[in-house]
Amino acid sequence: MSDSAFAYSGSELEVFAAAANWRSYWGDQVRPFLGRRVLEVGAGIGSVTRTLCHAGVERWVALEPDAGMAGHLAGIAADGFPAPVTARHGTVESLDAAERFDSVLYIDVLEHIEDDGAELRRVAAHVEPGGHIVVLSPAHQFLYTPFDAAIGHHRRYDRASLRRLEPDGCSLVTMRYLDSVGMLASLGNRLLLKSAHPKPAQIALWDRFMVPLSRHLDPLLGYRCGKSLIAVWRKDRAADGAAG
């Protein structure tokens, strides 16, 4: 994919940016793995950056292949974050070979990338030994709707399909489903309502009532069901030495 030609076709980013409870929920799952140098792939309009960037971060690179969004990100970064944020137009392929990060984030991004396995193998070379690759993605192909297609999702994941993407030299730390209540709502929409695009009122209802309930219910269910799936891999400390 050429970053110079890429233009994001989705229209959902602003709607989901207002889902404060959901951002808080998945954000708490991701924060323990951030480290001090962070690469955020597919940074969009900066919602993830605003959610996770904190004063302890030494360097945050917000990488975005859409030129317009990258320009918007640059403007946000200029206004200031708790830590230094660099907005960059490009993809992982455009990174300097020597660049290394303590964590790489794919927050609702990997499903947009056609060759997802090659993407994770490529980015693993930019992770410091002991660092992490974090993926949050929509779960379950049976929940795939016209909305997924409209915003450029190639697929949704389950544990098996995401586990198969594990890059060489990395070990799985955790993999869990999130938002069990939201999964039931999504299934109902898939079977009954068949809505192609969620309305802001529907997102607000889900975020205000369903997400807090999921936050309590998911641990009781052992994180075995949900409409989103999070996976974290750790780069083996011997991996870079073996590659060299």
Side-chain angles (χ1 to χ4, degrees):
M1 178 178 65
S2 171
D3 53 307
S4 60
F6 179 84
Y8 182 63
S9 59
S11 58
E12 83 290 356
L13 297 181
E14 291 84 357
V15 176
F16 280 95
N21 286 324
W22 176 236
R23 287 190 289 110
S24 174
Y25 185 16
W26 63 253
D28 286 347
Q29 304 286 321
V30 173
R31 285 187 187 91
F33 305 103
L34 282 180
R36 297 181 62 82
R37 293 167 297 167
V38 180
L39 172 65
E40 179 191 351
V41 180
I45 61 174
S47 298
V48 172
T49 316
R50 289 192 182 279
T51 299
L52 294 178
C53 187
H54 61 88
V57 172
E58 178 182 298
R59 180 186 182 218
W60 187 293
V61 174
L63 191 63
E64 172 53 48
D66 182 288
M69 287 187 179
H72 173 75
L73 276 168
I76 295 175
D79 290 336
F81 280 94
V85 173
T86 300
R88 191 183 300 179
H89 175 219
T91 65
V92 169
E93 291 177 285
S94 65
L95 294 173
D96 186 278
E99 288 188 90
R100 296 289 185 274
F101 301 89
D102 297 315
S103 63
V104 178
L105 309 180
Y106 289 86
I107 306 299
D108 290 321
V109 167
L110 194 63
E111 63 275 9
H112 292 274
I113 299 174
E114 187 170 4
D115 195 341
D116 48 0
E119 174 74 11
L120 291 189
R121 290 192 298 271
R122 186 179 299 117
V123 84
H126 295 281
V127 180
E128 286 282 10
H132 298 92
I133 300 172
V134 180
V135 174
L136 179 70
S137 66
H140 304 301
Q141 191 63 23
F142 64 78
L143 292 178
Y144 193 94
T145 67
F147 176 67
D148 288 281
I151 62 175
H153 289 180
H154 291 283
R155 68 197 75 79
R156 299 173 73 98
Y157 294 95
D158 58 24
R159 287 179 183 267
S161 61
L162 194 53
R163 182 68 184 261
R164 285 196 292 270
L165 302 181
E166 179 172 292
D168 290 342
C170 295
S171 302
L172 187 67
V173 176
T174 187
M175 183 178 289
R176 54 177 54 176
Y177 290 106
L178 302 178
D179 193 16
S180 52
V181 179
M183 176 181 169
L184 294 177
S186 294
L187 184 59
N189 177 66
R190 178 74 174 84
L191 298 177
L192 301 174
L193 299 178
K194 299 181 180 180
S195 173
H197 295 275
K199 297 177 176 59
Q202 292 174 310
I203 298 300
L205 179 67
W206 160 72
D207 186 61
R208 184 175 179 182
F209 296 105
M210 298 183 193
V211 172
L213 185 56
S214 287
R215 193 161 189 165
H216 291 289
L217 188 59
D218 289 353
L220 299 178
L221 297 174
Y223 298 100
R224 288 190 294 267
C225 64
K227 73 174 183 59
S228 291
L229 181 61
I230 187 169
V232 180
W233 288 276
R234 180 185 294 114
K235 178 79 167 286
D236 297 338
R237 292 193 178 275
D240 274 10

